[in-house]
Amino acid sequence: MTRQELYFNPLGKLVASFTEPIFSTMFSKYPHEKSKKFIPLLICVLTVILALVFWTINKISLIYALIGAIDDILRFLMLFYIISLILGSVLNTSFQASVYTTFFHRIGLPVVKIVRTIVNIPGNGVVVAAVIFIFIIYVLANSGLQIVFNILIAREINIVTILLVNTKYGLMSLVDLLQILTWLIIIRALISWVSPDPYNPIVQLIVALTEPVMGPFRRLIPPIGFIDISPIILIFIIQFLNIFLKRLLELIF
């Protein structure tokens, strides 16, 4: 995030409130621009800490705990960039453009530029190619690391199996986003009963994340009197898709 976003963007303020204690404590001797260079080191430290937690709780070997920690970090980054790409594209071309539009759009823009150099797709069609590109990078990176770890511990490796397993669980993670979307819709429906402050950063974030789905769906299913039943029907559809896609992936893989 830029300094302007951290101070003026509601999402930036929310992120800054959680991260400022870390940066002010660990990197207090460095200016803001220089402290950003330590972020990769901070991610590595957090990965090692996560591996130690896995090692302690699950009572597995440290090498497997490290593999699991790296897998979680890579999966998080994949989901983060895919969500940013989709939201940046949808919000930037809809009436719901807000303070979050520029943020999500700017995150996904470097990936879009890379994909455009490979495949020149006009309009928002490039977003689909960018999502596929990020997913492929995740599968290859995760599989490559697992192959290296298997070689180091002198185990027999099956490259095809590793690729298929990472593809399966990567797709499962994408399907799990539907469950998160369900909870966001439920939260939005609940807070709508209490007339929430529209300038609250958390309220704005929930609206920004759910409106691309709820907006068009609400136009298809108008309210019955004073009751808006579109969220309930939408939740049932999302749950059906969640179950169907997971069963399909189990059959394919």
Side-chain angles (χ1 to χ4, degrees):
M1 287 183 172
T2 63
R3 181 180 291 272
Q4 183 179 7
E5 285 173 332
L6 288 172
Y7 282 102
F8 299 104
N9 187 314
L11 177 60
K13 290 182 179 180
L14 187 64
V15 171
S17 66
F18 288 104
T19 57
E20 188 60 30
I22 298 175
F23 281 95
S24 61
T25 303
M26 298 181 64
F27 310 128
S28 57
K29 297 180 181 179
Y30 300 93
H32 177 72
E33 293 302 321
K34 287 188 177 181
S35 67
K36 291 194 295 186
K37 297 179 181 179
F38 290 96
I39 292 177
L41 176 61
L42 182 61
I43 292 175
C44 292
V45 171
L46 292 175
T47 304
V48 173
I49 293 174
L50 185 62
L52 291 174
V53 172
F54 288 163
W55 177 56
T56 304
I57 295 176
N58 298 326
K59 297 181 179 180
I60 57 177
S61 66
L62 189 58
I63 189 72
Y64 286 111
L66 185 59
I67 293 174
I70 294 174
D71 175 66
D72 281 352
I73 295 295
L74 288 176
R75 193 176 305 173
F76 167 78
L77 292 174
M78 174 196 69
L79 295 174
F80 177 75
Y81 275 98
I82 286 177
I83 291 172
S84 299
L85 273 169
I86 295 173
L87 290 178
S89 171
V90 173
L91 296 177
N92 208 40
T93 56
S94 71
F95 65 91
Q96 285 296 325
S98 65
V99 291
Y100 302 101
T101 304
T102 304
F103 173 70
F104 289 119
H105 180 71
R106 188 170 60 82
I107 290 175
L109 190 59
V111 181
V112 170
K113 288 182 178 179
I114 293 174
V115 173
R116 282 194 190 277
T117 60
I118 302 173
V119 182
N120 188 15
I121 302 176
N124 283 335
V126 72
V127 175
V128 178
V131 168
I132 295 174
F133 175 77
I134 291 174
F135 183 79
I136 292 174
I137 292 297
Y138 159 76
V139 171
L140 293 178
N142 209 12
S143 300
L145 287 171
Q146 291 180 15
I147 290 171
V148 170
F149 277 122
N150 284 332
I151 292 175
L152 291 176
I153 60 178
R155 287 195 59 186
E156 183 180 351
I157 60 172
N158 188 324
I159 297 177
V160 175
T161 300
I162 292 175
L163 287 170
L164 288 177
V165 168
N166 283 308
T167 300
K168 174 184 176 180
Y169 286 106
L171 291 173
M172 285 286 193
S173 298
L174 291 176
V175 173
D176 284 337
L177 292 177
L178 294 174
Q179 194 65 33
I180 298 175
L181 179 60
T182 299
W183 282 109
L184 288 173
I185 292 172
I186 292 173
I187 293 171
R188 181 174 175 181
L190 291 176
I191 64 176
S192 66
W193 296 349
V194 295
S195 300
D197 179 10
Y199 297 101
N200 184 289
I202 297 179
V203 173
Q204 289 185 344
L205 179 61
I206 291 174
V207 172
L209 293 172
T210 56
E211 188 59 28
V213 178
M214 293 186 66
F217 203 81
R218 195 184 297 113
R219 290 192 291 271
L220 292 174
I221 305 176
I224 301 177
F226 294 101
I227 302 176
D228 184 8
I229 63 171
S230 61
I232 299 174
I233 299 177
L234 181 57
I235 288 172
F236 277 114
I237 293 175
I238 291 174
Q239 289 302 305
F240 172 79
L241 284 174
N242 188 17
I243 296 172
F244 172 77
L245 291 174
K246 285 186 175 181
R247 294 282 178 83
L248 183 63
L249 289 174
E250 290 292 345
L251 290 175
I252 293 175
F253 294 96

